[in-house]
Amino acid sequence: MSGSEGLLPPGAGYGTLVGAVADPLLRRRVGRPYWLAFAAGALGTALMLVSMGWLFVEGIGIWGVNTSVVWGFAIANYVWWIGIGNAGTFISAALLLLRQPWRAAINRFAEVMTLFAGAIAGLFPIMHLGRPYRAYWLLPYPNSMELWPQWRSALVWDCAAIATYLLFSLVFWWLGLLPDLATLRDRAPGRAGRLAYGVLALGWRGSARHWHLHDRLYRTLAMLALPLVVSVHSVVGMDFAASLMPGWEESIFPPYFVVGALFSGFGMCVVLAALLRWGLGLQAVITQRHFAVMAKVILAGALVLGLSYLTEWFTAWYSGDADERGHVRFLFGGEYAPLYYVLLACNVLVPQVLWSARARRSIGAVVAVSLLLNLGMWLERVLIIWNVLSHGYLPSMHGVFRPTFWDWALLAGTIGFFLLLFLVFARLLPVIAMHDLGKLLFDRQRAEAHAGEEDEARAGERPGGAGRGARPMGGAPPILAEFRDPLTLIDAAHRAREAGLRGLDAHTPFAVAGLAEALALPTPRVRPAMLAGGLLAAAFVYALCWYSAVLDYPLVLGGRPLHGWQVFLVLTFEAGILGATFTGVAWFLVAAGLPRLNHPVFDARDIGRASQDRFFLAVADPAADEARLAALLDGLGPLSIRRVAP
Amino acid sequence: MTQLFPPVANTLARAALLGAALLLLGGMGLLVTIPFTPHVTRQDVVVEQPVQFSHAHHVGGLGLDCRYCHTGVEQSRFAGLPPTHTCMTCHSQLWTNAAILAPVRESLARDEPLRWVRVHRLPDYVYFDHSIHVAKGVGCSTCHGAVQRMQQVRQVAPLTMGWCLDCHRDPAPNLRPREAIYDMGWTPPADQRARGEALIRAYMIRTEHLTDCSRCHR
């Protein structure tokens, strides 16, 4: 694998990487461009709030929707936003599982993009309800009407899918952010900053046990994320495909929507990456290569999307159905045909320039393609609604949609709101996962070390031994040995365990691969717990669906059986994911003993650097003292060996 | 480095996390519960009327039939409120100087109806018809309670949709023979289930359509 080539600056150290991300945040004052963008975002937000307020007062009559095109802008914007929101968790989770090193610099802000875009997307269907204050009726809860949601409705699936996705993405993002908050706590120049980040970091101290658990939970969540990401946009596709309209009732819709969402999500990711790189001076960590790989993903997306369009036309022709054929004729020659040509150009033709390596290496070109494809994807979502609804089965119902001022105001307003949220985020939290960068650098360092002394390294890997080597720290204050580099720490950990020392732990800025084995830490049992939690939640929701649809509120729909297990599974799946996620988080907090804002190890000198660029071995064995440990670690060159004293 | 937080911060932080979780769950529980409470249903809330008319006196004491005043109950959706003339059938002769009846006399003199305050309020998207309920064996006291013992009429039933559905899904326990409809003291006999089923057939109630949405939401 080409590894981390071109992703990190050549002479980078752990400290410089942390500094590159944290210092613009903590120390640099923002300039005029930031405040101009902030003002634009605030203005947009105000426009959004005014539009929403007027909507609530007047009703959806202020939009251009009519009895033919009932979905209009609101649902198109919803699909567009949720599509943008799709890529973040995908980038973060799929690239983690695929071991793609270029994930490290872009996953954090992509996750935030997901959160914000997903939250904005969720607003649109609610506004479109007409009685937005009744949106909670979509949730199953014991109510005085003795009614339950209709589990066969795609709207109910949608509500569950988006809510699950948002909650999950929030947890996933938070889990990745937690160690970085500790870094900011230890690096913040002022006391207010240290306290604020300190509370949010929950007392994270980079303990090897915590990292071990964190790493495992994070990977497990990533595995849950993949089917979830696919399910969200499939469900959005089913909003359309489960209807009876020419051009919608096609089985290709769920996968076609998933690809479209990734496509537009990566497009937005490129734009944001370029903005952050320029605005925060992150040229060192967001590099040309990031844009080049994302360009390849975009190119692949454009090809699949082009194929989807071809399939759509082909099926219409091959089906011989007059209405399907009429729909395609309407696409190319109807009211909205010019927009359709723009769509095809933006989504399929323009991205073809990315075949050229020169174009992929030019950040400007990739950003330009991304902006155009986001326009194209917005047009696609708009046209998929306009073209179909304005040209349905009933010729007497044919009619076109013309957006009003408030349609445009709400779209512009939400873009402004997104901008505002993102600017606030970029000012308060690290836009790049610092501990992932550290891990990336460690991978490079280890690869270099291995190249020379592979055999020796293998000999150094001792079997797990008695497995009792590392036990939680007892009452005695630990002795800390400080190292400059994680490979030496692993060696030190091996030696300490060989020597039979008890109460071993380490404090590191990121999850050092191989450290848990060196300390013989037991495998955290978080996965069985998550499985149990997920199954329990899934079983509960399945039982709820069954009870409500079969026993409590039997409603025969078109002669379908009451026990429609196929549709119950949609909700069951989402509940399973949520149950596993929350079980995992609860397990993590309890097992790691967090929050623990005050801990003996925080008394140690320089322990603040354990979240940045130093690696500490902690020995809490009553039998050990500084001299014995120094003798044991002879030759490894620890920077210091000290007993923690309050 | 010194400790950023005192030891008590550990307890505080954990308590805050737990508290937030409990607050969230409790808040959701509260939101679920509130629609069942009288704050929303107005069950058992006594409203002030322009005249302190006592059903206990007129129905329980004197034994007036419901239909003496609520004349529309057998023919129309609305049971009807009596015109002032109905009051005056007796009160032009009885208690003609009673202070409590002053608004009634004034209403007659000015030819302006009394402005009674509605006790049983249904949302405007609910179609409710008294006549069909009375015709199919639902007695007054089933929904309105023991009016003959109320000094001031209050809403006894919650009038939630769930409460309506309880009967629409299973009407048998509440159906009476025609002669017992206006019997304010009616209690279901021991074999009500069997009698109710028989009444469903006798009244020709098509139970399979009782819970159609359009039955009440037209």
Side-chain angles (χ1 to χ4, degrees):
Chain A
M1 203 186 283
S2 58
S4 57
E5 199 180 314
L7 296 177
L8 293 174
Y14 297 104
T16 51
L17 285 183
V18 167
V21 179
D23 287 349
L25 184 69
L26 294 170
R27 289 164 208 277
R28 214 172 80 170
R29 296 190 69 81
V30 291
R32 187 186 292 268
Y34 179 89
W35 288 116
L36 280 178
F38 192 89
L43 216 63
T45 307
L47 185 63
M48 180 188 80
L49 292 176
V50 169
S51 310
M52 283 166 76
W54 187 236
L55 175 75
F56 294 156
V57 172
E58 278 294 299
I60 55 170
I62 66 168
W63 291 341
V65 285
N66 51 48
T67 47
S68 298
V69 189
V70 287
W71 279 3
F73 253 37
I75 302 301
N77 290 340
Y78 151 71
V79 179
W80 185 61
W81 275 116
I82 194 72
I84 290 172
N86 198 297
T89 303
F90 178 84
I91 288 174
S92 207
L95 300 184
L96 176 76
L97 297 177
L98 293 172
R99 299 172 201 277
Q100 292 299 309
W102 53 279
R103 163 192 185 275
I106 58 172
N107 67 333
R108 170 70 45 72
F109 70 82
E111 287 164 21
V112 170
M113 171 183 88
T114 283
L115 277 178
F116 294 160
I120 289 174
L123 289 177
F124 278 101
I126 293 177
M127 288 190 272
H128 189 258
L129 284 179
R131 290 193 170 90
Y133 43 87
R134 296 284 191 220
Y136 62 92
W137 280 7
L138 283 165
L139 305 173
Y141 69 101
N143 56 68
S144 65
M145 297 161 287
E146 290 185 10
L147 292 180
W148 293 97
Q150 172 53 257
W151 307 120
R152 291 180 195 280
S153 159
L155 185 61
V156 173
W157 305 344
D158 225 26
C159 169
I162 304 254
T164 307
Y165 186 60
L166 277 181
L167 286 172
F168 175 89
S169 299
L170 191 66
V171 166
F172 196 58
W173 168 76
W174 168 79
L175 192 67
L177 182 67
L178 187 66
D180 278 1
L181 289 169
T183 309
L184 292 182
R185 169 197 66 201
D186 296 334
R187 211 179 163 89
R191 183 167 168 79
R194 279 208 299 276
L195 285 176
Y197 289 121
V199 168
L200 292 174
L202 304 183
W204 178 265
R205 52 186 188 274
S207 154
R209 282 161 212 289
H210 295 176
W211 273 121
H212 196 34
L213 180 59
H214 184 275
D215 200 47
R216 196 159 178 87
L217 176 61
Y218 197 71
R219 277 173 197 281
T220 317
L221 285 180
M223 291 176 211
L224 293 180
L226 276 196
L228 185 65
V229 169
V230 173
S231 88
V232 173
H233 238 76
S234 298
V235 165
V236 176
M238 282 191 271
D239 284 345
F240 295 85
S243 70
L244 293 171
M245 289 299 277
W248 278 0
E249 39 176 335
E250 293 171 17
S251 53
I252 195 183
F253 260 50
Y256 163 44
F257 268 57
V258 173
V259 173
L262 280 180
F263 185 57
S264 63
F266 265 98
M268 193 55 127
C269 196
V270 164
V271 176
L272 293 176
L275 277 178
L276 289 174
R277 181 177 194 264
W278 168 74
L280 293 170
L282 294 171
Q283 285 83 352
V285 278
I286 303 181
T287 65
Q288 228 171 30
R289 179 157 167 227
H290 286 107
F291 289 92
V293 252
M294 286 197 277
K296 284 184 191 166
V297 178
I298 287 173
L299 181 59
L303 291 177
V304 180
L305 220 53
L307 188 67
S308 300
Y309 296 142
L310 278 178
T311 314
E312 205 181 347
W313 305 330
F314 174 77
T315 356
W317 168 76
Y318 191 67
S319 70
D321 184 278
D323 290 295
E324 290 285 341
R325 287 182 177 184
H327 168 67
V328 173
R329 266 200 304 277
F330 190 72
L331 291 182
F332 283 101
E335 193 80 24
Y336 304 115
L339 294 178
Y340 193 65
Y341 293 115
V342 176
L343 175 165
L344 290 179
C346 289
N347 287 355
V348 185
L349 282 186
V350 172
Q352 304 305 322
V353 304
L354 299 176
W355 284 107
S356 138
R358 242 186 75 202
R360 286 200 304 271
R361 274 198 301 270
S362 152
I363 294 177
V366 180
V367 170
V369 169
S370 299
L371 284 172
L372 280 177
L373 81 83
N374 261 308
L375 171 69
M377 285 311 288
W378 182 77
L379 281 175
E380 161 166 335
R381 273 63 187 263
V382 157
L383 290 182
I384 218 167
I385 287 170
W386 293 358
N387 272 324
V388 168
L389 288 178
S390 64
H391 201 74
Y393 283 120
L394 271 182
S396 62
M397 288 293 284
H398 288 187
V400 292
F401 172 92
R402 299 204 190 288
T404 64
F405 167 76
W406 293 108
D407 279 311
W408 290 113
L410 204 52
L411 174 64
T414 49
I415 293 174
F417 185 47
F418 180 81
L419 181 67
L420 182 78
L421 288 173
F422 206 81
L423 287 170
V424 170
F425 153 72
R427 211 42 214 135
L428 294 179
L429 295 171
V431 294
I432 289 177
M434 294 183 275
H435 61 94
D436 278 331
L437 284 184
K439 229 186 306 189
L440 190 63
L441 184 59
F442 176 57
D443 283 344
R444 186 167 84 179
Q445 194 192 5
R446 201 168 43 160
E448 282 163 5
H450 269 259
E453 36 178 318
E454 194 160 336
D455 297 335
E456 195 189 325
R458 191 152 297 166
E461 262 175 47
R462 284 122 181 142
R468 303 165 43 94
R471 287 225 311 250
M473 287 194 280
I479 308 172
L480 292 184
E482 183 180 0
F483 296 94
R484 198 185 293 280
D485 124 81
L487 283 172
T488 330
L489 172 69
I490 294 182
D491 281 346
H494 271 302
R495 286 197 197 174
R497 191 162 61 83
E498 303 276 290
L501 289 179
R502 300 253 189 117
L504 294 182
D505 198 355
H507 298 277
T508 58
F510 53 86
V512 177
L515 185 60
E517 291 76 13
L519 291 169
L521 295 179
T523 307
R525 302 183 58 77
V526 65
R527 276 186 191 163
M530 289 171 76
L531 181 68
L535 286 179
L536 212 66
F540 174 75
V541 165
Y542 193 95
L544 179 77
C545 289
W546 178 80
Y547 165 78
S548 59
V550 177
L551 288 188
D552 194 48
Y553 185 41
L555 192 64
V556 177
L557 267 189
R560 295 183 185 86
L562 291 174
H563 185 187
W565 60 269
Q566 299 92 336
V567 290
F568 295 175
L569 286 185
V570 179
L571 279 275
T572 303
F573 166 77
E574 309 287 349
I577 299 274
L578 267 192
T581 305
F582 284 121
T583 312
V585 169
W587 183 278
F588 169 73
L589 289 178
V590 172
L594 296 176
R596 183 84 199 258
L597 300 180
N598 178 294
H599 188 275
V601 84
F602 287 131
D603 283 320
R605 242 182 57 171
D606 274 352
I607 191 70
R609 295 186 72 169
S611 66
Q612 304 176 50
D613 59 348
R614 288 291 152 80
F615 302 81
F616 291 83
L617 180 71
V619 182
D621 193 331
D625 56 34
E626 285 100 316
R628 190 179 156 206
L629 194 61
L632 187 67
L633 300 179
D634 186 36
L636 294 179
L639 298 172
S640 68
I641 297 182
R642 278 198 201 91
R643 190 179 283 280
V644 176
Chain B
M1 197 173 133
T2 50
Q3 296 281 352
L4 196 53
F5 298 95
V8 68
N10 292 342
T11 316
L12 284 180
R14 283 169 199 185
L17 269 190
L18 263 181
L22 289 179
L23 208 65
L24 192 74
L25 287 178
M28 289 200 296
L30 197 67
L31 284 178
V32 168
T33 321
I34 283 176
F36 293 94
T37 63
H39 294 288
V40 174
T41 65
R42 299 166 16 104
Q43 193 178 0
D44 287 327
V45 173
V46 174
V47 291
E48 196 171 330
Q49 300 287 1
V51 183
Q52 285 193 1
F53 177 84
S54 164
H55 277 82
H57 170 65
H58 290 86
V59 184
L62 302 174
L64 288 189
D65 188 281
C66 307
R67 289 163 292 181
Y68 187 82
C69 302
H70 305 294
T71 52
V73 74
E74 286 177 323
Q75 295 91 32
S76 91
R77 291 175 57 189
F78 188 44
L81 284 172
T84 310
H85 286 281
T86 307
C87 310
M88 284 303 177
T89 46
C90 296
H91 288 297
S92 59
Q93 314 296 323
L94 289 170
W95 303 105
T96 47
N97 288 320
I100 197 171
L101 289 174
V104 183
R105 291 191 295 273
E106 200 174 317
S107 154
L108 186 76
R110 288 196 184 173
D111 199 20
E112 267 179 20
L114 286 163
R115 294 192 176 271
W116 298 101
V117 182
R118 200 177 244 294
V119 177
H120 294 80
R121 270 203 317 217
L122 289 177
D124 51 7
Y125 48 80
V126 175
Y127 178 88
F128 176 82
D129 190 322
H130 272 95
S131 66
I132 190 66
H133 287 86
V134 171
K136 300 288 180 181
V138 182
C140 306
S141 61
T142 299
C143 305
H144 294 291
V147 169
Q148 77 277 17
R149 287 201 291 275
M150 294 181 199
Q151 294 292 344
Q152 296 268 283
V153 159
R154 60 181 195 279
Q155 175 189 321
V156 173
L159 294 195
T160 56
M161 176 169 163
W163 172 83
C164 296
L165 280 175
D166 285 343
C167 191
H168 272 235
R169 284 173 179 162
D170 179 23
N174 295 311
L175 295 185
R176 319 176 181 182
R178 225 178 274 283
E179 61 274 15
I181 302 281
Y182 302 99
D183 178 357
M184 298 310 289
W186 183 80
T187 45
D191 55 347
Q192 172 63 23
R193 172 57 61 183
R195 282 170 187 252
E197 303 285 353
L199 283 170
I200 288 176
R201 287 190 295 277
Y203 287 127
M204 292 187 284
I205 299 172
R206 295 175 63 192
T207 48
E208 70 273 24
H209 286 299
L210 275 184
T211 52
D212 289 358
C213 303
S214 61
R215 189 92 332 203
C216 312
H217 305 293
R218 304 199 162 184

